[in-house]
Amino acid sequence: MAFFGLFGKSKFESQFKMVVAAVNALEPEIKTLSDQCLKEESEKLRWQITEAIAKGVSDQEALDTVLPRAFALVREAARRTLHQRHFDVQLMGGFVLHSGVLAEMRTGEGKTLVATLPVYLNALLGKGVHVVTVNEYLAKRDTNWMGQVYHALGLSVSCLVHAGALRYDPAHIAPDAEKLIDKERDTTGSFLVQKEYLRPIARKEAYHCDITYGTNHEFGFDYLRDNLAYSENDQVQNRNGAPSRYFAIIDEVDSILIDEARTPLIIAAPDTESSQNYKTFARLVNRLTKDTDYIVDEKLKAVSITQEGIDKVEQLAGVKDLYAPEHLRLTHYLQECLRAHALFSRDRDYVVKDGEIIIVDQFTGRLMQGRRYSGGLHQAIEAKEGVLVQQESRTYAQISIQNYFRLYKKIGGMTGTAQTSAEEFHKVYGLEVVTIPTNQEMIRKDEPDAIYKTIDAKYNAIVTDIKERNAKGQPILIGTVSIEKNEELSRRLAMAGLKHEMLNAKNNEQEGSIIAQAGKKGAITVATNMAGRGVDIILGGNPPEIKAQQEIRDVGGLHVIGTERHESRRIDNQLRGRAGRQGDPGSSQFFLSMEDDLMRIFGGERLKGLMTRLNVPEDMPIQAGILNRAIGQAQTKVEGHNFDARKHLLEYDDVLNKQRLAIYRRRQEMIEQKKPPQLLGALDTFWMNHLEDMEALQESVRLRAVGQHDPLVEYRREGHLMYQQLLVNYDQWISENESKFAPASQSSGPSLVINSVPLMGGAPRATGNSANESSSAGASVKVGRNDPCPCGSGKKYKKCHGR
């Protein structure tokens, strides 16, 4: 076996062999232990680790000492509870994760089971382990499913959900206990139907469990909310007086640390009413002409208005100088409405459902319920589509995904597609990628791309290919890049008389039942990216019959068709990975056209000229090395653009992050010292104003590039000065008002109730008690009329509680 990582041959290869040999040698002994003895052995390991650390041994060294026995205990517990025994390659994967490295494991290799090994081992430290998933369903599923293993070894496990938290408790059976929780096969080929043993608990209790599952958003927002709290009782992430951020294992690590890394986590609350302005400018931009009044850069996904466009807007709006200081806010409405008009499309970027704009995740194809774009973009889209325009928001706290996960002492991650982003993982997070071999040889056939001149010719070829494969009973999964193209292909299949299932964000409630039958004989499933990650399609359907499985193997297994190349090669590989799991037969092929967005935007004039010279019929696929190279180059360009955007966000957030950590450190000390809620309310107000000032600064420094000034250097320099001024202003305010503060016991401080999480560049909207609905103690403080109101609203006292 060969193991390769970012730097060539993996340094782990010799260690893999020793770990596997040591665990296998212990298996006969561990098998003889009773269930009670398994728990006792687990306690012995916990005591052994504690003793070693007390003698000055590091956490990692103490864990490494007991690793073989811990892994052997987990393997036996899984065999008894789940009827699943870890393969040797899964032991290797567990060792990689424990070492703080990313494990690339192919689809169907049992990543969920692999994670139990390092999760259990590191949980023995008593510092808490966080397992981060891409959605809430997986967090609940894995808590209930893998909770059996942890419980057998005497550990507690919980999961975070949007409405609170749940704990695995075998004494508690949910009302719908007999429902099918998971469809994974065990080692005998049978299927597991398991009961749900999850009971509601307080969120703080969830973090006190040995192991906590949840999405990156839930963990990140709890961190931000803890730093808006006014007492230790209201903070949930602290564990035994310290932050519970020791070790995180991230499932689908490329999705969370890369795809979502351009999305800062933001807590915000409604600010001012501006819906009419958005409606007005949404009507105005509809009267502008592309390429004359505004220019769209599809490569950079940017739009800019021309002088002709400015003149037209000023005439239509009756404004003499749109960019005069008194009209500065109007330019904001114009820019956001123009972005909504030119760059965001219905049924591609969002859907309109029940009078609301709901974002579509571009990486998974799923609806992002409750999430909103920030900066007024969401309001602009609402105005464009004629639905109710919500209030804009004001930022109270924010952090980037990158900087949140940098708070952990150790990170491990797993995915089926990591090597294509290995460089970014290393540069941004200092993480190496190691590829784990498959348990059985992968025999999927990846056929060469079929490239056509036009989209119409491509669709015709796809329908023809589906007809031929369907005639022999081969199940087919067709991946599309958007809801719009998903529906277009479905229409063409219907016209050809091909019965099929369609899966996209509009009908994602049926995802489970559709995917469960996608591997049946003759099944045709048209799906967006939501079928590309975290989904197992079982040959023969679910539950399958052995005879049906064999029939499908005989006709080639599941066939995957890609209707377009995605911007990222990883997403293409995820789609291919639906076929050929665990040694099953399968095949895949992509059908492309020169009119596809990727080729049209990034292919350039060179490819257009080549197509003209080739002069082949529209219905004939083109096979030319130069085209395949051009496709790869186009994807590389897009990945480069996206990497630059993430790097840009991180560079600016790094400046703010140093300030944020200092403020949060100071704030936490004040909480522990039980300072009156009014060091805290004032500090929050100053910090909130500072966030807005830093956001405005980031916008303004971009223009300085024209004067040969580095915007980032300018941002760092002026941001530092602004931060120093924040501290001066805050200390001065405290010295002038501290004697007027009410005792800490009289108020718990202002509160925020957040009901959503952010999305692509977006901020969530908050409801309930916002910061300007302060406690009575906050209103009793005697402050200057022009001072910030101590309630934390951000308003002057005379315009808030001093009214």
Side-chain angles (χ1 to χ4, degrees), residues 200-259:
I201 58 172
R203 208 168 180 86
K204 192 165 188 172
E205 183 184 344
Y207 281 101
H208 280 78
C209 288
D210 296 304
I211 301 154
T212 307
Y213 283 81
T215 65
N216 55 310
H217 293 114
E218 294 298 330
F219 286 115
F221 278 120
D222 279 342
Y223 168 73
L224 292 178
R225 280 189 285 258
D226 276 0
N227 286 286
L228 288 171
Y230 280 73
S231 73
E232 290 183 278
N233 289 334
D234 295 329
Q235 295 178 318
V236 298
Q237 280 195 345
N238 279 1
R239 180 187 174 94
N240 300 325
S244 58
R245 287 183 295 277
Y246 169 71
F247 182 39
I249 287 187
I250 305 174
D251 193 10
E252 305 295 359
V253 66
D254 54 334
S255 174
I256 290 173
L257 294 189
I258 292 183
D259 293 341

Side-chain angles (χ1 to χ4, degrees), residues 38-39 42-43 46 120 149-156 210:
L38 278 184
K39 291 187 177 181
S42 185
E43 279 302 309
R46 196 193 290 265
Y120 166 73
V149 178
Y150 303 128
H151 180 76
L153 295 171
L155 298 188
S156 56
D210 296 304

